[in-house]
Amino acid sequence: MAENSRTKYALVGTGQRAMGMFTTPIASRYRDQAELVGICDTNPGRLELHNTILKEELGYHEVPAFLADDFDRMIEQTRPDCVIVATVDRFHDFYANRAMEMGCDAITEKPMTISAAKCRAILETVKRTGKNLRVTFNYRWRPGTTLVKQLLGEGVIGEIVHVDMEYLLNTSHGADYFRRWHREKEMSGGLLIHKASHHFDLVNWWIDAVPEVVFGMGRLAFYGRENAESRGIEVSYDHYTGNDTSDDPFALDLSTDEKLSRLYIEPEKHDGYRRDRNVFGDNITIEDTMSALVRYRTGAVLNYSLNAYLPREGYTVMFNGTKGRLEYHEAEASHIVPGRAVAVAGEEVTWRSRLIVHPLFSPAYEVDIPAAVGGHGGGDPLLQEQIFSPDAPEDPWGRSAGHEQGAAAMLVGDAANQSMETGAPISISDTCPPLGDARVLSELT
Ligand SMILES: NC(=O)c1ccc[n+]([C@@H]2O[C@H](COP(=O)([O-])OP(=O)(O)OC[C@H]3O[C@@H](n4cnc5c(N)ncnc54)[C@H](O)[C@@H]3O)[C@@H](O)[C@H]2O)c1
């Protein structure tokens, strides 16, 4: 392909996710179709690291780097077709809006944004500019989740009336949200937005319905100083690296991991950001125990829970329909701390999924799930192909998500957050009228 026909991307937010999900495919597999023209971040250390990896590990070249205050200058000088936003969640709206106002399309990591007010502003910008905004919901692209969509779409259990979804985060991955910026609600919106927007998006898409009324409950029940001390756990350090944490199963020593050390220890001197805060420290403003009841415009109801301190990771979702029931289960690893326990046979499995259909009046049957290849259960590489390859295969399951799907997912978490505060159910038509009157998600335009 000729050099000048490549799609030009600028990237804002050069942290952990950006390198694997966006920069690496642009600089390697899709080098002939895509070009990285500029990178932007608040932290000059991570900008420099990004360029070092581009040049020395990916065999690419350094690209012009800009501090956040120079975002506009980056767009003016490098003229990207599309801006990729992979910053801390709180700033997704700012960069997506600014990119579209300056004539670019935008791709944002999930969640699209963290409050209904910010969401309304994004929908308004898309309408006014006519630009395209994509939200990278990679969970849709996993083989198992796609198969669920296919079977429900074929009507194997008839019309869907009720959905139950339980999501488990373990003491490794789940705990990590309480070490990083995610622990501050004003940065991430809390896990009902940051994490659950994946799950609410899946349910919205699976049942092709628009969420309407949400009732939420939640609290910080496990992490945080107060909870720890009430269980007799002494909290003597604010962060892990450099302290004696030999007896602490939640400790993360950044210096023992080359990748984490380069990304977060060196750059810390520029902004003071610590990625290894004690999960039992002070000033955690998000919940670790959450439930939401969601009524859809079709009348279907979702019963959802998310807990972030469990021995194992994964989820179960059950759909009850007019012709039967479909159960889907994804199991990930238990968190076993070496020296504290020995893995039980079978528990060392890192990924396992199972799909069972129970038709009314007939025997249940299991459906084989194609093997997953690549990051996030096989979702990342398929999504990267859709984003970066002009020859990406047709997608009969509508897995690409735009601004309305991004909105529908995060608005459920936002409404659950508001409901937690007020004790009352929250209507999404009130928090975000521009979402429209459509009953099904596929009718949103
Ligand atoms: N889809 C997925 O499965 C998935 C997985 C991981 C992360 N993510 C998303 O990716 C995004 C980044 O997460 P991460 O894990 O890489 O976090 P990170 O902390 O490693 O990176 C965030 C980056 O944003 C930069 N930043 C902060 N404020 C900024 C601002 N105002 N302007 C410009 N840059 C700013 C930080 O300096 C940092 O480099 C998040 O939105 C997260 O939700 C998605």
Side-chain angles (χ1 to χ4, degrees):
M1 189 174 282
E3 175 98 352
N4 58 11
S5 66
R6 290 185 295 175
T7 304
K8 295 203 280 180
Y9 293 92
L11 167 73
V12 54
T14 52
Q16 187 161 17
R17 178 66 175 161
M19 180 50 77
M21 180 64 192
F22 302 110
T23 301
T24 301
I26 291 175
S28 51
R29 199 166 154 205
Y30 300 104
R31 196 181 270 228
D32 292 340
Q33 291 89 15
E35 181 185 2
L36 188 63
V37 295
I39 55 176
C40 178
D41 201 289
T42 40
N43 190 303
R46 270 190 287 281
L47 282 171
E48 197 182 323
L49 175 65
H50 220 77
N51 259 331
T52 303
I53 295 173
L54 270 170
K55 195 168 157 210
E56 294 176 8
E57 295 174 25
L58 297 171
Y60 204 64
H61 51 80
E62 290 189 9
V63 298
F66 299 82
L67 285 172
D69 285 346
D70 286 328
F71 177 79
D72 283 10
R73 193 160 64 81
M74 172 173 80
I75 306 296
E76 282 156 11
Q77 285 184 4
T78 66
R79 304 308 316 162
D81 301 298
C82 180
V83 173
I84 298 170
V85 183
T87 62
V88 166
D89 302 347
R90 177 184 177 166
F91 305 107
H92 289 183
D93 63 317
F94 175 82
Y95 289 113
N97 285 336
R98 194 71 198 120
M100 291 187 282
E101 275 157 6
M102 294 187 76
C104 309
D105 289 329
I107 295 173
T108 178
E109 259 302 348
K110 49 54 60 174
M112 186 173 85
T113 187
I114 63 165
S115 74
K118 285 170 177 277
C119 177
R120 291 194 301 270
I122 291 177
L123 299 184
E124 196 277 318
T125 308
V126 173
K127 196 170 169 190
R128 182 164 39 82
T129 61
K131 289 293 163 187
N132 193 279
L133 174 62
R134 176 175 199 138
V135 183
T136 48
F137 283 128
N138 48 345
Y139 278 36
R140 291 181 174 208
W141 296 83
R142 296 177 174 185
T145 51
T146 299
L147 189 56
V148 170
K149 173 74 177 168
Q150 183 186 338
L151 292 172
L152 294 177
E154 288 167 3
V156 290
I157 61 163
E159 185 191 330
I160 295 149
V161 179
H162 187 266
V163 185
D164 247 305
M165 185 178 205
E166 183 194 17
Y167 206 98
L168 290 69
L169 291 168
N170 68 18
T171 42
S172 171
H173 182 215
D176 216 27
Y177 296 110
F178 296 81
R179 301 186 184 109
R180 298 179 281 164
W181 50 264
H182 311 64
R183 68 196 242 149
E184 294 171 45
K185 209 159 190 178
E186 64 173 21
M187 292 294 172
S188 66
L191 293 180
L192 279 168
I193 290 187
H194 173 81
K195 186 67 188 170
S197 67
H198 272 307
H199 315 148
F200 296 137
D201 174 64
L202 278 179
V203 177
N204 298 348
W205 169 68
W206 274 327
I207 70 173
D208 190 21
V210 184
E212 175 57 29
V213 176
V214 182
F215 190 65
M217 288 191 186
R219 69 186 177 110
L220 186 67
F222 184 83
Y223 299 110
R225 181 185 289 274
E226 211 176 296
N227 292 314
E229 289 180 348
S230 74
R231 295 196 299 272
I233 298 168
E234 193 193 336
V235 185
S236 55
Y237 34 81
D238 167 68
H239 62 275
Y240 298 113
T241 309
N243 283 302
D244 177 10
T245 58
S246 47
D247 217 19
D248 186 341
F250 290 93
L252 172 72
D253 184 347
L254 296 173
S255 66
T256 60
D257 182 313
E258 198 201 331
K259 198 169 144 194
L260 292 180
S261 163
R262 289 206 299 173
L263 261 171
Y264 303 107
I265 293 186
E266 255 302 291
E268 188 193 321
K269 64 175 181 274
H270 299 291
D271 56 13
Y273 169 65
R274 295 212 72 110
R275 196 233 176 274
D276 63 337
R277 304 279 303 275
N278 191 331
V279 300
F280 296 122
D282 295 310
N283 303 325
I284 295 175
T285 49
I286 63 169
E287 299 78 22
D288 55 25
T289 306
M290 291 143 282
S291 298
L293 261 185
V294 184
R295 195 182 73 231
Y296 284 81
R297 290 179 185 170
T298 55
V301 168
L302 163 68
N303 183 13
Y304 171 82
S305 73
L306 174 64
N307 293 291
Y309 42 82
L310 302 178
R312 67 170 308 128
E313 182 120 345
Y315 70 96
T316 303
V317 59
M318 291 157 295
F319 301 86
N320 299 320
T322 51
K323 293 184 182 168
R325 172 180 167 96
L326 186 151
E327 299 175 356
Y328 179 65
H329 181 59
E330 275 186 10
E332 295 181 48
S334 297
H335 179 212
I336 295 166
V337 179
R340 291 205 166 219
V342 179
V344 179
E347 283 298 288
E348 67 279 8
V349 171
T350 54
W351 186 271
R352 201 165 38 200
S353 50
R354 203 165 175 219
L355 198 164
I356 303 162
V357 179
H358 299 261
L360 281 182
F361 316 120
S362 308
Y365 58 91
E366 188 161 347
V367 184
D368 285 340
I369 299 167
V373 181
H376 284 101
D380 284 353
L382 294 176
L383 178 53
Q384 286 159 354
E385 184 180 32
Q386 287 291 322
I387 294 172
F388 297 121
S389 170
D391 309 316
E394 283 287 307
D395 175 29
W397 300 289
R399 286 175 291 189
S400 293
H403 56 286
E404 287 172 319
Q405 288 71 32
M410 61 73 47
L411 286 167
V412 178
D414 172 77
N417 277 339
Q418 290 193 42
S419 174
M420 263 192 268
E421 277 177 26
T422 62
I426 301 292
S427 163
I428 288 175
S429 297
D430 292 340
T431 61
C432 189
L435 204 58
D437 298 324
R439 271 166 58 82
V440 292
L441 205 67
S442 51
E443 274 177 9
L444 290 172
T445 52

